[in-house]
């Protein structure tokens, strides 16, 4: 069972930047797709960004394209979300998630939350206007 721990959230002014990190506890991290999701108060959890096992494929939700960058370091069992040009509407709890299928089992739809089997506890990001 993969365990995920997010960090890096906080309070930032609009236009600022934050870098979220998600540390995974098991060696199988390097074969798993990873994703970032977020949930704002009163809203459904939504996809933000996803990355395949080796970083060769990345996808983003439209509203964050060009502002957020997902990356991973398999040597450190960590996935990152660099967030630039933050807006008040980015305020949410951000969760990282590990895909259910390692790459050698099959392709993962990185946008689909049902493809992810393990979730972190979340980190709060608040953007003030």
């Amino acid at each position: 069972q993969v365990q995920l721990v997010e960090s890096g959230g906080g309070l930032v002014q609009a236009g600022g930047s934050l870098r979220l990190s998600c540390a995974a506890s098991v060696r199988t991290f390097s074969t798993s797709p990873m994703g970032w999701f977020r949930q704002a108060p009163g809203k459904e959890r939504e996809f933000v960004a996803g990355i395949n096992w080796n970083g060769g494929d990345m996808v983003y939700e439209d509203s964050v394209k060009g502002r957020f960058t997902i990356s991973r370091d398999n040597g450190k069992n960590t996935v990152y979300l660099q967030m630039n040009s933050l807006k008040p509407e980015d305020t949410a709890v951000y969760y990282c998630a590990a895909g259910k299928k390692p790459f050698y089992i099959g392709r993962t739809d990185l946008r689909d939350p049902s493809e992810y089997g393990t979730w972190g506890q979340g980190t709060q990001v608040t953007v003030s206007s």
Side-chain angles (χ1 to χ4, degrees):
Q1 180 88 17
V2 177
Q3 291 189 345
L4 306 174
V5 179
E6 302 99 334
S7 61
L11 173 64
V12 64
Q13 288 189 330
S17 298
L18 284 174
R19 188 194 196 201
L20 305 184
S21 299
C22 174
S25 64
V26 293
R27 289 180 295 174
T28 52
F29 171 87
S30 65
T31 61
S32 299
M34 297 293 295
W36 285 97
F37 292 75
R38 66 187 179 186
Q39 188 167 18
K43 295 188 177 181
E44 298 284 322
R45 188 174 297 189
E46 66 173 358
F47 168 78
V48 176
I51 189 167
N52 75 330
W53 68 281
N54 66 355
D57 184 25
M58 294 164 281
V59 293
Y60 298 92
E61 194 267 330
D62 286 347
S63 71
V64 308
K65 282 180 182 177
R67 300 188 298 121
F68 290 11
T69 302
I70 189 171
S71 62
R72 65 189 298 160
D73 184 338
N74 285 348
K76 295 182 178 179
N77 277 17
T78 303
V79 63
Y80 304 96
L81 185 68
Q82 177 67 43
M83 305 186 295
N84 298 329
S85 302
L86 282 160
K87 304 175 181 180
E89 51 263 44
D90 295 317
T91 295
V93 177
Y94 283 71
Y95 300 88
C96 73
K100 294 177 181 177
K101 298 193 298 285
F103 72 91
Y104 50 82
I105 297 297
R107 185 172 176 81
T108 292
D109 179 354
L110 295 169
R111 298 176 182 272
D112 184 354
S114 71
E115 295 271 36
Y116 296 85
T118 303
W119 296 78
Q121 292 299 306
T123 186
Q124 176 70 47
V125 171
T126 303
V127 185
S128 63
S129 57

